[in-house]
Amino acid sequence: MAERKYALGIDYGTESARAVLVDVASGKEVASAVYEYSHGVITDRLPGTKTRLPAHDWALQDPQDYLRALDATVPAVLKKAKVKGRQVIGIGTDFTACTMLPVQADGTPLCALKEFRANPNAWVKLWKHHAAQPEADLINQTARQLDEAWPTRYGGRISSEWFFPKALQILDEAPEVYRAADRLIEAADWIIWQLTGRETRNLCTAGYKAIWSKRDGFPRREFFAALSPDFADVVDAKMSRQVIALGSRAGELTEKMAKRLGLAPGTAVAAGNVDAHVAVPACTVTGPGKMVMIMGTSICHMVCGTEEKHVPGQCGVVEDGILPGLYGFEAGQSAVGDIFAWFARTCVPAEYAAEAKKKKVSVHDLLTRKAAAYRPGQTGLVALDWWNGNRSVLVDADLTGLMLGMHLGTRPEEMYRALIEATAFGTYKIIRTFEQHGVAVDEIYCCGGLPERNDLLMQIYSDVTGREFKIARSAQTCALGSAMHAAVAAGRAAGGYDTIHEAAQRMAGIRAKTYKPDAAAHAVYEKIYAEYDALHDTFGRGANDVMKRLKALKGVE
Amino acid sequence: MAERKYALGIDYGTESARAVLVDVASGKEVASAVYEYSHGVITDRLPGTKTRLPAHDWALQDPQDYLRALDATVPAVLKKAKVKGRQVIGIGTDFTACTMLPVQADGTPLCALKEFRANPNAWVKLWKHHAAQPEADLINQTARQLDEAWPTRYGGRISSEWFFPKALQILDEAPEVYRAADRLIEAADWIIWQLTGRETRNLCTAGYKAIWSKRDGFPRREFFAALSPDFADVVDAKMSRQVIALGSRAGELTEKMAKRLGLAPGTAVAAGNVDAHVAVPACTVTGPGKMVMIMGTSICHMVCGTEEKHVPGQCGVVEDGILPGLYGFEAGQSAVGDIFAWFARTCVPAEYAAEAKKKKVSVHDLLTRKAAAYRPGQTGLVALDWWNGNRSVLVDADLTGLMLGMHLGTRPEEMYRALIEATAFGTYKIIRTFEQHGVAVDEIYCCGGLPERNDLLMQIYSDVTGREFKIARSAQTCALGSAMHAAVAAGRAAGGYDTIHEAAQRMAGIRAKTYKPDAAAHAVYEKIYAEYDALHDTFGRGANDVMKRLKALKGVE
């Protein structure tokens, strides 16, 4: 009997990294290990220094944590599963994005150098670093002035989280760091460089975060020059125009890294990727019209189509960006689980906390049980799910939450239910907008923490949208997706697969239990959705800009 | 030295009655006693029977509780203060209204008779009995159809809490009770009947609750006939067209009652009155343009003017209804303290409850302290204070609450502050509406539980309205006001006063501490009020009737 073959998937998240060892033939996840980053998300003081970050919207990381994660998890999963290094045919990774850093020509992060250690702009800017808003504003404004074509692919404007705002912030605030940086690179690609000894740039982050497209490449030099003369050559001087496809082999594991991790030198390493996007095939989805939703603190919606379309609020459409041969569309809701967490932390009375403790369930479980006793419409409440702005159809970070319908008898679980419903309406709005703009959404697949934990929520989403919700079999979909890409990078000859479609067929699965819409519930929710939609437009499209005016007033002394 | 003279004020509230013995010369409150009604508010089962009330919007009382209150409190205050019965020169009372009952010709309540004991319609209908809504709807609709003049005095329509809806409910649901009732009477007048042996009808309840005016009397017979032929003669058959002025002497204490209570026979008894209205002179107010606000679970706003005006949302304008010679205007907010209580009960996390306990303060105090740390506008929140509908300018019970501006960092104390501000905006709206319609509001005086307890709230009300808020000296303003009316009923010859103005000058007072508006805070609040006002009109005046539609959906199975 031939030795079993395994693929290693490593999912770099916000607070930790997770390695999962997957049986290539069956998709069985045989072992996993998690490493919490020693410096986590740096929002206050730079580690090992006295330097405090300039403002509260900064979010940095230490690149050494990404290497420590490899050390801590890879040998551990091999040991747990009693798998030999040579049985691992490929390594795949996925990363938060845009999470980027300035490095030297050999890949050394500038923040590792003594002279730059105390400079915040030398560190990794994590995806949720929001301090590059002035640069994002300049980029969007300049794009409008110069009538650039690319904004239509990104819902009209790009976010401060993206690559060029972050790069431009380095130039603006720390020109010495910018000058010293031989390369500016996504952490997703930097980790591949560390594994393979070779710099590559993956299509997914380039397309979704760095305004690259297969057809047009990056924005033109004149555009960058208009932002700042010193920024004109950012692509050619600090990046690369060579972008490699997803699932392709970025290179092979170096001798040194192989030894360090207990793997075989020459093991295939897949191109870097984004956490959300690798989850798509891990939900069995390899064709158009099937939306994958990663449901957690926020929701990321991804769907592939056969044509490029420009949908209001889409985060991006990227050819080959999710699956080869298809246009990958991404949209999102900026807060979902985060809103429920806010509610549980802020609005749940002591007696509920005591009851949850007594029943040995979480406060969320207790609220869910109580909320499940209500029929659709019975609470009389409706909410706008904009606790963290709106990055869906409206793409407006200055919008805020709203709840309406409260009376003296309103109970916490009713408000909790209204918040769940509001996030479901937000998803429904996204689906309808895609459809209205020619992107089919025929099926829905879910993964992430929420579907695991909350039956009521899943049923409400199904009832609101009038669609069946299928759930990924794996509870670690991103890491599985990375392992699948690893199997493709290794290829059939090495015991893997030639295409992500084959890998999905063999390695991915969905659960037997799905959530099907109740027609009567859907009919009621259509009525409440009409109310949500009207409020959405009143407060989101300028009829009443009260949210922005109140936000502006907050700053008034 | 002449013996000191005292006046007795008895305040009949919703859950209890309070007697206060007041030194007529100084207004000093020398003793007080409270009696909790043995049957409280009857909402479920009739006492001593197996009869359950038909619906949850019923609220009844037992008239015997009103007599038990006299027995329990009057001898007690005399004893406490070591005052002899003969030193008490007058008795004044005030009552919740409309609180009404059917009685026999001798004043015996029908619910005291064996044959009617199990009939809910034979009992006292408390002010907050809301089961006569169909009758109120019919009355309002018929008034419109017949183009009656009186609705303009009452903001366009009357409430189900009023006298004729309640009377008509008896006829509709229990014609045998209606037939057996020789009289239908306010409890405010029934208690005077018990004290004096003589039926009288006071101007305040007649004017504010039974559509009576000095100029036009009651609605015409044709109107009542249009409601039901059997209701045509309700006034002449069951009520009285003789209405006596406030502060007038309704009669004298009977021998029997004097003996029972330890008072002197022949002691002056003042005309019945309404709890809110007697508070006006007890706040020192005896002239036009001075608004008195009773601030508690709800707020009642009263102000006198020299001309009849028709102000949107006014509960009523009654000539001589509050002070002789002036038009008394009443308006109100249906929930204020009730909203804060809802919030404290529903939305305050366990850690806050623990912190309050540790600091030995109430949850309200803790929230107030935390909320006080914010500048006006700093929370970024705005709310509509319609948790119990709107009975102010809009007079619409189907409106519900709204809060807007929440984000993931919003704290409970910020929402608490926003709710306080919302109720202040509600009061500001009432003041501005009075002024826009020709009723001057030059000064503001407050009494009730909230001014006692909440410094922050009072300052916010002052900052929002841009006005000084003065607080009544007495913490039992209603009972004091009744005692003042007692002193007037007794008259100067007996050691009292000839007018309520004299009584107010001698017996009432305000506190040294007042709340003055901060100009900068007021300027910010003007901006937030503009937002409140816009939301008020959007959701309250038909631009978006989402609140009503959601309320309608609640009933859908």
Side-chain angles (χ1 to χ4, degrees), chain A residues 466-479:
Chain A
R467 287 152 191 274
E468 183 176 6
F469 273 60
K470 306 188 184 90
I471 317 290
R473 186 180 61 202
S474 173
Q476 358 190 41
T477 334
C478 295

Side-chain angles (χ1 to χ4, degrees), chain B residues 144-197:
Chain B
R144 270 195 303 279
Q145 281 164 356
L146 300 185
D147 203 19
E148 300 293 301
W150 55 260
T152 55
R153 299 202 309 272
Y154 302 105
R157 61 186 121 170
I158 68 161
S159 149
S160 70
E161 293 180 5
W162 289 19
F163 194 88
F164 290 117
K166 283 171 170 161
L168 189 54
Q169 190 191 12
I170 301 177
L171 174 61
D172 284 348
E173 299 183 0
E176 69 286 9
V177 172
Y178 187 81
R179 272 193 306 274
D182 297 312
R183 320 298 289 154
L184 297 172
I185 192 166
E186 282 278 352
D189 292 323
W190 181 80
I191 198 70
I192 301 301
W193 193 350
Q194 301 307 301
L195 290 166
T196 62

Side-chain angles (χ1 to χ4, degrees), chain A residues 397-411:
Chain A
D398 286 334
L399 297 175
T400 51
L402 175 149
M403 189 178 286
L404 176 157
M406 291 79 79
H407 59 88
L408 294 174
T410 298
R411 304 294 308 141

Side-chain angles (χ1 to χ4, degrees), chain A residues 124-401:
Chain A
V124 176
K125 288 188 165 65
L126 184 61
W127 68 275
K128 66 178 178 177
H129 174 87
H130 288 128
Q133 191 60 52
E135 287 78 10
D137 293 344
L138 177 67
I139 288 171
N140 287 319
Q141 190 192 331
T142 306
R144 270 195 305 279
Q145 281 165 356
L146 299 187
D147 204 18
E148 299 294 301
W150 56 260
T152 55
R153 298 202 309 272
Y154 301 105
R157 61 185 123 169
I158 68 161
S159 150
S160 69
E161 293 180 5
W162 289 19
F163 194 87
F164 291 116
K166 282 171 171 159
L168 190 53
Q169 189 192 13
I170 300 177
L171 175 61
D172 284 347
E173 298 183 0
E176 69 286 9
V177 172
Y178 188 80
R179 273 192 307 272
D182 297 310
R183 319 298 288 154
L184 297 172
I185 192 166
E186 283 276 353
D189 292 324
W190 182 81
I191 197 71
I192 301 302
W193 193 348
Q194 301 306 303
L195 290 167
T196 62
R198 182 183 161 213
E199 180 188 351
T200 54
R201 305 280 174 154
N202 78 83
L203 191 151
C204 190
T205 56
Y208 285 103
K209 307 296 175 186
I211 321 183
W212 177 90
S213 82
K214 199 168 159 182
R215 198 180 57 210
D216 299 331
F218 289 103
R220 60 203 175 103
R221 186 178 185 280
E222 292 74 11
F223 173 72
F224 292 114
L227 299 176
S228 161
D230 294 337
F231 206 58
D233 292 310
V234 60
V235 173
D236 289 317
K238 316 266 183 193
M239 299 168 67
S240 166
R241 293 190 186 273
Q242 276 201 303
V243 168
I244 63 171
L246 301 179
S248 66
R249 181 192 284 236
E252 292 81 35
L253 198 62
T254 61
E255 286 268 357
K256 192 175 153 193
M257 195 55 90
K259 196 169 174 190
R260 178 167 168 179
L261 301 180
L263 295 167
T267 303
V269 177
N273 212 332
V274 175
D275 46 8
H277 300 71
V278 294
V280 172
C283 289
T284 75
V285 169
T286 56
K290 300 179 179 190
M291 178 175 271
V292 170
M293 290 170 53
I294 307 189
M295 304 175 71
T297 54
S298 59
I299 295 183
C300 179
H301 306 75
M302 288 159 295
V303 64
C304 289
T306 52
E307 291 175 82
E308 181 172 319
K309 299 284 180 186
H310 299 146
V311 183
Q314 69 189 16
C315 304
V317 50
V318 176
E319 190 178 356
D320 301 341
I322 298 175
L323 293 167
L326 294 171
Y327 288 85
F329 296 85
E330 186 191 339
Q333 286 171 269
S334 46
V336 178
D338 273 351
I339 300 180
F340 313 143
W342 170 85
F343 187 83
R345 191 169 70 236
T346 313
C347 300
V348 177
E351 69 192 83
Y352 279 49
E355 187 179 343
K357 199 173 170 188
K358 196 175 160 192
K359 291 184 172 160
K360 292 180 182 158
V361 298
S362 72
V363 166
H364 285 289
D365 286 339
L366 184 77
L367 287 168
T368 301
R369 285 183 200 182
K370 289 179 187 281
Y374 290 78
R375 285 182 281 102
Q378 198 184 352
T379 65
L381 300 172
V382 70
L384 289 175
D385 53 322
W386 299 344
W387 263 249
N388 191 20
N390 174 300
R391 77 165 182 229
S392 310
V393 177
L394 301 168
V395 200
D396 190 337
D398 286 334
L399 297 175
T400 51

Side-chain angles (χ1 to χ4, degrees), chain B residues 245-260:
Chain B
L246 301 180
S248 66
R249 181 192 284 238
E252 292 81 34
L253 198 63
T254 61
E255 287 267 356
K256 192 175 156 195
M257 193 56 90
K259 197 167 173 190
R260 179 168 168 179

